[in-house]
């Protein structure tokens, strides 16, 4: 399995596509998480993502190892943005390429679920009403 | 090495790094000390300790050379 | 639910992204199906896709209606390429945007599964050994 | 209107459109006639008939104004 893991200011779906698309794989599943302009009906101005980068990369690598143990996936991309992010901005991109689409869906969902549970990245929400959580 | 603080834990402590008292030698003792010095940390839904960039159990020992971090509930993605 | 359905010579993931990304939705799931350079260990030179376009569009609309009945999806894109397609070329793109990622994964997989079952599009495989199936 | 043929059905018949005999008035009769004229159609894993751009049951009637199509197993995606 080829793996691309990256944490940086700005991420794009295109760089994930560029890495996973290949004539060997038939099915690619991509999850893109974007900043929403509301959380539970409250207007969001921006998010600020911080991360414990060395450990975050290590935890992402552990997720990749688990994926490899579970499924025959050819390529896996995990990208996470950090810093100030505004509504509509990309926060996370997960991309999986496989010969069989069923396992690509399963693996992609598994990765984003696990990333949200284990990878040390934190967001602060700046609401329009002035609160910061 | 110092103790790294992130997210809500950093906000509660007011600093990104703490000096680790020399007498603390395992994760359980570190947690107890943190809760004593910063009682507000008890309001966190969870507080994990990472030792050398991996989640640690309460039993794990900590030496002066280890990289130790306080991990409040993560919220990436 | 906003819907984009298109059948044409060349499709891109970008046009699907442009349609579904919005500050209202947090999670986007995209399936991209590309032409593989092999089928069951046999080298593929190209595929030729033909379609019964009017009925294909109608069947895709029926899929969209089913999706809408099942899930709270904000946006749905179904793109299919026709004509000669070579290994690495995009054949199909499904994209779903929703506030909740779990249903976006479910809906996206449902759409591609159903599309492969019901939409009148046919591919001819041109193998390196000369056979055409 | 004529009968549209696609994919493997078109290859078997050798033409993209067939003239519909006037006596055929439902899907079952159309299928029987097609199998008689082009026995190789029986090798298809399935053969659906679409009437006015929708899959039709065997019982569905066909009038001269209907758009009728022969749908071999689809293989898009």
């Amino acid at each position: 399995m080829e793996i691309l893991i990256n944490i940086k200011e700005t991420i794009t779906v295109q760089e994930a596509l560029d890495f996973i698309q290949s004539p060997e794989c038939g099915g690619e599943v991509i999850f893109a998480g974007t900043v929403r302009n509301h959380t539970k009906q409250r207007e969001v101005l921006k998010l600020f993502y911080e991360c414990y980068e060395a450990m975050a990369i290590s935890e992402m690598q552990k997720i990749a190892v688990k994926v490899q143990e579970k499924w025959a996936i050819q390529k896996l991309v995990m990208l996470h943005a950090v810093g100030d992010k505004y509504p509509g901005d990309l926060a996370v991109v997960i991309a999986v390429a496989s010969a069989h689409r069923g396992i690509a869906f399963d693996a992609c969902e598994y990765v984003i679920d696990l990333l949200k549970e284990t990878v040390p990245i934190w967001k602060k929400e700046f609401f329009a009403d002035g609160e910061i959580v | 090495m110092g103790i790294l603080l992130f997210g809500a834990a950093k906000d509660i402590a007011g600093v990104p790094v703490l000096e680790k008292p020399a007498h603390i030698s395992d994760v359980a003792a570190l947690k107890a000390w943190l809760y004593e010095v910063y009682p507000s940390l008890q309001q966190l839904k969870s507080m994990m300790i990472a030792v050398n960039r991996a989640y640690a159990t309460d039993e794990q020992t900590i030496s002066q050379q280890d990289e130790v971090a306080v991990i409040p509930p993560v919220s990436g993605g």
Side-chain angles (χ1 to χ4, degrees), chain A, chain B:
Chain A
M1 189 172 74
E2 289 177 58
I3 302 164
L4 172 64
I5 290 173
N6 216 334
I7 297 175
K8 55 184 179 166
E9 277 284 319
T10 304
I11 60 175
T12 64
V13 172
Q14 193 57 50
E15 65 192 294
L17 278 174
D18 289 346
F19 186 83
I20 62 165
Q21 283 189 335
S22 93
E24 267 95 58
C25 300
E28 290 110 34
V29 174
I30 301 133
F31 173 79
T34 47
V35 176
R36 281 201 284 169
N37 56 13
H38 62 281
T39 297
K40 291 171 190 146
Q41 259 114 66
R42 287 172 69 196
E43 192 187 341
V44 170
L45 294 183
K46 69 166 184 176
L47 302 183
F48 176 78
Y49 283 99
E50 72 163 321
C51 90
Y52 178 13
E53 186 166 343
M55 181 174 168
I57 296 288
S58 165
E59 287 295 323
M60 286 159 118
Q61 286 165 342
K62 285 179 190 171
I63 293 173
V65 168
K66 286 186 185 170
V67 166
Q68 209 157 9
E69 287 167 0
K70 281 173 170 285
W71 295 287
I73 298 297
Q74 269 76 52
K75 301 195 183 195
L76 172 61
V77 178
M78 285 180 247
L79 307 175
H80 206 295
V82 285
D84 283 327
K85 294 292 140 193
Y86 296 87
D89 285 354
L90 271 176
V92 62
V93 175
I94 308 297
V96 173
S98 158
H100 304 285
R101 70 182 184 282
I103 62 174
F105 276 104
D106 291 347
C108 190
E109 190 167 13
Y110 175 84
V111 169
I112 182 62
D113 286 352
L114 208 52
L115 181 147
K116 282 170 171 271
E117 270 173 40
T118 66
V119 176
I121 298 175
W122 299 269
K123 69 163 158 268
K124 223 172 234 179
E125 295 183 289
F126 292 74
F127 291 99
D129 58 22
E131 209 194 344
I132 301 168
V133 178
Chain B
M1 286 182 76
I3 300 161
L4 307 173
L5 296 156
F6 293 96
K10 181 174 68 178
D11 293 342
I12 288 168
V15 290
V17 189
L18 284 173
E19 201 70 34
K20 187 176 77 64
H23 70 274
I24 286 171
S25 60
D26 66 23
V27 168
L30 174 64
K31 281 183 171 177
W33 177 76
L34 286 165
Y35 284 138
E36 200 188 301
V37 181
Y38 302 104
S40 296
L41 289 174
Q42 294 175 49
Q43 290 162 18
L44 296 173
K45 253 194 209 162
S46 73
M47 185 180 76
M48 300 290 284
I49 301 298
V51 176
N52 298 327
R53 303 165 180 188
Y55 290 106
T57 60
D58 279 0
E59 294 71 36
Q60 193 161 330
T61 57
I62 300 173
S63 78
Q64 281 306 113
Q65 289 72 48
D66 291 329
E67 182 175 315
V68 177
V70 181
I71 312 283
V74 301
S75 53

